[in-house]
């Protein structure tokens, strides 16, 4: 076994991890540990854009961006965090530009911006152009830019190292344990501060836009070591995944004028969101698609609708709306090249000539490891930090997205809060000594890995995973009921039991044992699925992405609180509903006081 010592350790090489690493490395000896090569992180799949009120094409203001974020979050967003996000986004995006990011440009050379769902001007008025983009490859460009900067700054990278445990010495986090995927060897990383930036957990659901690696490892690891998971009942379904495959079709398609149509050719969003129609927030649009399908208005009665970006259709609607913009095939080709490519390759559909078949797809976790505005993990309703632990990006919950995230706000979250976390870590490391490692830090996890390696029961990991994904899709998806969620809770408990007692894997070797790591990841997914179902069942209201048929209304009197889920000694879930939502903007400005959401 090898032991390494770094002042600041970053787990995850996506944009949250790299932004934090860049800033931490300016004041502390820093390493990034990543199970994937950093440039293969899911951020590289982010398509549509990064939100910042630059106002390059029309008037825009950070207060409007903060307002949209809070309203989009169905008033569960912490308002102080939403304001930080909106205000610091502007200079963070300009920083990316200066670091070399090749954004699309306006004719006069400024960063080009387009419309996205829920982003408006004048506190909920008309759609505003706020999403800065590099064609439909925005995440890829940010990831490449920051990776180069980290290399330049001599951040040390441990690529294809899979982190499987966090080390605590009493109340201090002192490092992590990782396996080198190549050799199968365990490595202990001793640190002053650890930041988890391990991304999302969409693989809990059957139809998802998320990459295979998105199994919520950081959330499960910290949960098992006493850190709560916050607001896990809020998981976003993006309205437009490719039918049956889940591959994402960016909201940028609708931002460029694309419309959703049902089997009768109706632009049904006119009925659900008369003011901003197809650009309503994602929870609203996903529910509308489900209701169309339920009403037998899915295409040919099937479980999908059409997304149409053909110039004929788009121009007709633009003309009807009195908008004198017109789009051409060449314009669509230049603004959405990857999307056209996906559809032509995977579907045999050419989006400049015919509509795309789409259905809602599991996309983004609003919840996660609770943190303060500097990325420090906090472990109770009072916001007490756990010394030495930080989190940023999708695995963290600041909470800025509340009950529903707006498109483009994740990339903004990564760079704004990644940067704040990295800065804070550098300062913290300068003032702190290394706390010693506890005795035998690897004992427990070594035993668990060995158990999995030798498992010879009768159920394969993929069988348990498929069952989990189907049940979560059916019962803890876009619409929920008490009965369905209870069934999901029971199934997750049964699957966890089988995972402990009846699992079987084929590869018992040391090198590149993907069978073993997949089995270990399944354990993370099951913990997360259980917490999600338990948290959802307890919240007796509908808010943002959590929509209950038995409690269809939002209930601010009882439920304007965050959920904290803890693992108990016997491995079950204990909930706490005492953490208040920050309402600091509402205290000063009536516009931020919770209201019914109308789009
Ligand atoms: C298809 C798609 C399109 C999207 N488009 C947009 C968009 O246009 N705008 C927007 O704002 N948001 C978008 N999102 C959301 C956004 O991209 C993600 O929320 C964001 O990229 C997450 O970044 P991250 O840095 O937190 O994690 P990721 O980029 O997912 O990176 C996670 C990192 O953690 C590492 N890791 C995980 N587990 C372990 C472990 N156990 N040990 C070691 N390393 C580990 C991985 O190797 C990886 O490097 C999109 C998401 C998807 C899926």
């Amino acid at each position: 076994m090898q032991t390494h010592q770094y002042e600041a350790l970053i787990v995850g090489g996506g944009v949250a991890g790299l932004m934090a690493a860049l800033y931490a490395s300016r004041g502390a000896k820093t390493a990034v540990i990543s199970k994937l090569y950093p440039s293969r992180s899911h951020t590289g799949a982010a398509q549509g854009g990064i939100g910042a009120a630059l106002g390059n094409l029309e008037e825009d203001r950070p207060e409007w961006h903060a307002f949209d974020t809070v309203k989009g979050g169905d008033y569960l967003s912490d308002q102080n965090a939403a304001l930080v996000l909106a205000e610091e986004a502007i200079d963070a995006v300009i920083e990316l530009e200066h670091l070399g990011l090749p954004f699309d440009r306006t004719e006069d050379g400024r960063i080009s911006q387009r419309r996205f769902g829920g982003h408006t001007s004048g506190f909920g008025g008309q759609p505003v152009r706020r999403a800065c983009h590099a064609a439909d490859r925005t995440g890829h460009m940010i990831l490449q830019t920051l990776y180069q900067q980290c290399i330049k700054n001599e951040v040390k990278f441990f690529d294809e190292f899979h982190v499987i445990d966090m080390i605590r010495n009493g109340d201090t986090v002192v490092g992590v344990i990782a396996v080198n995927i190549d050799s199968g060897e365990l490595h202990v990383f001793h640190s002053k501060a650890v930041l988890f930036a391990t991304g999302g957990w969409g693989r809990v659901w059957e139809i998802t836009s998320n990459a295979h690696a998105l199994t919520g490892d950081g959330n499960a690891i910290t949960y098992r070591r006493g850190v709560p998971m916050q607001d896990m009942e809020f998981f976003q379904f993006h309205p437009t995944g490719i039918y049956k495959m889940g591959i994402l079709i960016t909201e940028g398609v609708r931002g460029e004028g694309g419309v959703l149509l049902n089997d009768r050719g109706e632009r049904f969003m006119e009925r659900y969101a008369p003011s901003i129609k197809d650009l309503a927030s994602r929870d609203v649009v996903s529910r509308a698609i489900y209701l169309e399908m339920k009403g037998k208005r899915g295409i040919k009665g099937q479980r999908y609708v059409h997304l149409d970006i053909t110039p004929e259709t788009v121009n007709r609607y633009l003309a009807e709306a009195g908008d004198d913009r017109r789009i051409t095939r060449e314009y669509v080709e230049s603004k959405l090249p990857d999307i056209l490519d996906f559809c032509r390759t995977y579907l045999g559909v050419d989006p400049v000539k015919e509509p795309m078949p789409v259905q809602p797809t599991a996309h983004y976790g609003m919840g996660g490891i609770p943190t303060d505005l500097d990325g420090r993990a906090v472990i109770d309703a009072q916001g007490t930090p756990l010394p030495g632990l930080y989190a940023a990006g999708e695995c963290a919950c600041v909470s800025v997205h509340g009950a529903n995230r707006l498109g483009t706000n994740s990339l903004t979250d990564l760079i704004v809060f990644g940067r704040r976390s990295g800065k804070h870590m550098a300062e913290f490391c300068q003032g702190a000594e290394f706390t010693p490692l506890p005795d035998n830090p690897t004992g427990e996890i070594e035993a668990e890995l060995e158990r999995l390696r030798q498992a010879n029961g009768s159920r394969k990991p993929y069988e348990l995973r498929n069952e989990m994904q189907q049940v979560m899709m059916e019962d803890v998806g876009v619409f929920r009921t008490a009965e369905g969620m209870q069934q999901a809770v029971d199934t997750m408990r049964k699957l966890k039991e089988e995972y402990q007692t009846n699992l079987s894997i084929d590869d018992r070797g040391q090198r590149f044992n993907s069978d073993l790591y997949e089995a270990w990841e399944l354990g993370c997914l099951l913990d997360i699925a259980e917490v999600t179902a338990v948290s959802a069942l307890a919240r007796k209201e509908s808010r943002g992405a959590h929509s209950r048929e038995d409690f269809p209304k939002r209930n601010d009197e009882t439920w304007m609180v965050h959920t904290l889920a803890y693992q108990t000694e016997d491995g079950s879930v204990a909930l706490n509903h005492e953490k208040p939502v920050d309402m600091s903007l509402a205290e000063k400005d009536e516009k931020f006081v919770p209201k019914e959401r109308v789009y």
Side-chain angles (χ1 to χ4, degrees):
M1 190 184 339
Q2 293 187 40
T3 302
H4 313 263
Q5 208 178 49
Y6 288 90
E7 291 178 299
L9 275 184
I10 312 285
V11 184
V15 158
L18 295 183
M19 194 73 177
L22 187 59
Y23 272 87
S25 67
R26 293 179 181 165
K29 192 179 161 205
T30 303
V32 173
I33 311 172
S34 178
K35 68 178 179 182
L36 306 173
Y37 276 107
S39 54
R40 300 182 68 99
S41 303
H42 191 75
T43 305
Q47 303 167 349
I50 176 164
L54 301 179
N56 282 353
L57 287 147
E58 58 196 323
E59 188 189 357
D60 199 1
R61 298 191 204 156
E63 309 89 81
W64 297 348
H65 188 185
F67 172 85
D68 292 335
T69 302
V70 167
K71 177 180 172 188
D74 219 351
Y75 297 93
L76 197 75
S77 309
D78 282 333
Q79 299 190 346
N80 54 352
L83 188 64
V84 166
L85 178 96
E87 284 183 340
E88 296 186 8
I90 295 175
D91 129 80
V93 164
I94 290 171
E95 181 178 355
L96 289 179
E97 182 188 33
H98 292 174
L99 293 175
L101 200 150
F103 282 111
D104 278 17
R105 297 283 160 184
T106 61
E107 273 172 19
D108 59 355
R110 288 184 291 174
I111 296 173
S112 175
Q113 299 187 275
R114 63 178 160 217
R115 293 171 176 165
F116 243 76
H119 290 279
T120 65
S121 56
F123 300 105
Q126 287 306 302
V128 71
R129 295 189 185 93
R130 186 177 288 150
C132 312
H133 56 275
D136 53 1
R137 307 183 185 114
T138 313
H140 174 85
M141 296 302 188
I142 305 177
L143 194 58
Q144 300 291 335
T145 304
L146 290 177
Y147 186 54
Q148 292 168 359
Q149 292 294 328
C150 284
I151 298 280
K152 182 174 156 201
N153 234 33
E154 298 187 352
V155 172
K156 170 78 183 162
F157 280 90
F158 290 87
D159 299 331
E160 300 195 327
F161 274 62
H162 201 139
V163 172
I164 50 177
D165 204 359
M166 174 175 97
I167 314 172
R168 280 179 75 157
N169 190 347
D171 278 339
T172 308
V173 172
V174 296
V176 297
I177 301 166
V179 210
N180 178 349
I181 297 175
D182 178 357
S183 65
E185 203 185 3
L186 280 188
H187 289 244
V188 171
F189 290 86
H190 185 198
S191 64
K192 293 181 180 174
V194 175
L195 175 128
F196 278 88
T198 48
W201 50 93
R203 288 278 146 185
V204 162
W205 287 268
E206 186 183 12
I207 302 286
T208 177
S209 65
N210 282 194
H212 287 275
L214 291 177
T215 49
D217 304 3
N219 303 76
I221 289 171
T222 51
Y223 175 67
R224 292 166 188 168
R225 294 288 172 204
V227 179
M229 292 195 217
Q230 182 173 319
D231 294 342
M232 294 296 284
E233 60 271 42
F234 300 103
F235 196 89
Q236 175 170 84
F237 280 71
H238 190 294
T240 60
I242 293 182
Y243 179 46
K244 285 192 178 162
M245 287 181 249
I247 298 173
L248 194 80
I249 304 288
T250 174
E251 201 167 290
V253 170
R254 283 170 285 140
E256 298 291 359
V259 291
L260 288 161
L261 303 171
N262 65 15
D263 195 45
R264 298 178 188 158
E266 291 167 341
R267 186 182 185 186
F268 56 87
M269 283 312 300
E270 287 176 339
R271 276 188 273 122
Y272 297 93
S275 156
I276 64 176
K277 306 184 181 73
D278 302 83
L279 287 176
S281 67
R282 290 176 178 173
D283 53 338
V284 173
V285 182
S286 285
R287 279 196 288 278
I289 294 176
Y290 259 70
L291 292 171
E292 288 301 297
M293 297 189 305
K294 200 170 166 195
K296 306 253 179 301
R297 295 184 295 277
I299 307 297
K300 300 190 195 113
Q302 305 282 312
R303 298 187 68 73
Y304 67 92
V305 295
H306 274 151
L307 173 61
D308 197 334
I309 183 78
T310 60
E312 297 70 40
T313 305
V314 174
N315 290 339
R316 180 156 52 82
Y317 282 109
L318 284 173
E320 261 177 35
D323 188 326
D324 25 293
R325 284 178 307 146
R326 295 292 176 268
I327 65 166
T328 60
R329 285 188 186 185
E330 294 66 38
Y331 178 82
V332 179
E333 298 273 359
S334 75
K335 286 292 178 184
L336 301 161
D338 277 6
I339 293 300
L340 301 189
D341 211 34
F342 294 152
C343 289
R344 288 168 184 157
T345 307
Y346 297 112
L347 286 171
V349 164
D350 188 349
V352 295
K353 297 189 191 139
E354 56 194 321
M356 298 165 257
V358 295
Q359 75 179 132
T361 183
H363 185 58
Y364 182 88
M366 270 73 72
I369 302 168
T371 72
D372 67 11
L373 296 176
D374 289 314
R376 293 188 297 176
V378 293
I379 52 170
D380 57 24
Q382 292 70 43
T384 311
L386 180 64
L389 184 64
Y390 293 76
E394 190 169 341
C395 75
C397 180
V398 178
S399 122
V400 72
H401 310 300
N404 171 65
R405 172 174 73 80
L406 291 187
T408 77
N409 265 0
S410 171
L411 293 179
T412 314
D413 173 0
L414 306 180
I415 60 165
V416 166
F417 291 101
R419 183 167 77 169
R420 289 177 81 98
S421 308
K423 274 187 195 166
H424 201 278
M425 281 178 99
E427 279 165 30
F428 173 83
C429 288
Q430 282 166 5
E433 298 299 323
F434 280 96
T435 303
L437 289 168
D439 291 339
N440 188 19
T442 58
E444 257 177 69
I445 194 68
E446 247 176 319
E448 172 65 1
L449 267 198
E450 213 35 42
R451 178 186 80 76
L452 290 172
R453 198 191 301 275
Q454 303 307 335
N456 62 354
S458 66
R459 300 212 64 193
K460 300 282 182 211
Y462 77 86
E463 295 172 5
L464 301 185
R465 191 172 54 227
N466 287 352
E467 195 175 333
M468 168 194 72
Q469 289 174 333
Q470 282 162 13
V471 170
M472 291 298 286
M473 194 76 196
E474 190 59 34
D475 292 327
V476 197
V478 172
F479 281 107
R480 304 164 173 189
T481 63
E483 201 190 353
M485 288 184 286
Q486 185 61 56
Q487 200 170 310
V489 170
D490 296 343
T491 310
M492 295 318 129
R493 290 193 177 141
K494 183 200 79 166
L495 292 174
K496 280 180 74 169
E497 179 66 26
E498 288 194 276
Y499 180 79
Q500 287 302 324
T501 57
N502 194 20
L503 194 71
S504 144
I505 74 168
D506 294 321
D507 185 351
R508 312 210 187 279
Q510 291 292 336
R511 307 203 62 181
F512 276 108
N513 190 342
S514 53
D515 210 19
L516 176 65
Y517 306 124
E518 249 181 63
W520 180 84
E521 287 171 340
L522 172 63
C524 298
L525 288 172
L526 286 171
D527 277 353
I528 290 176
E530 184 191 19
V531 169
T532 304
V534 170
S535 304
L537 180 60
R539 185 175 280 273
K540 295 190 175 60
E541 65 159 353
S542 289
R543 181 187 296 272
H546 176 63
S547 188
R548 291 185 62 147
E549 291 178 38
D550 44 359
F551 293 95
K553 290 231 146 40
R554 197 174 82 201
N555 175 352
D556 287 344
E557 210 149 291
T558 314
W559 288 108
M560 186 66 97
V561 287
H562 295 295
T563 304
L564 294 177
Y566 295 85
Q567 189 172 49
T568 62
E569 295 257 311
D570 66 359
S572 58
V573 186
L575 298 181
N576 167 305
H577 289 119
E578 281 161 20
K579 187 171 181 181
V581 176
D582 179 275
M583 287 284 163
S584 46
L585 298 178
E587 281 157 22
K588 284 174 272 168
D589 185 344
E590 200 276 329
K591 288 193 278 303
F592 286 84
V593 172
K595 291 177 198 61
E596 199 184 334
R597 281 191 312 163
V598 180
Y599 279 109

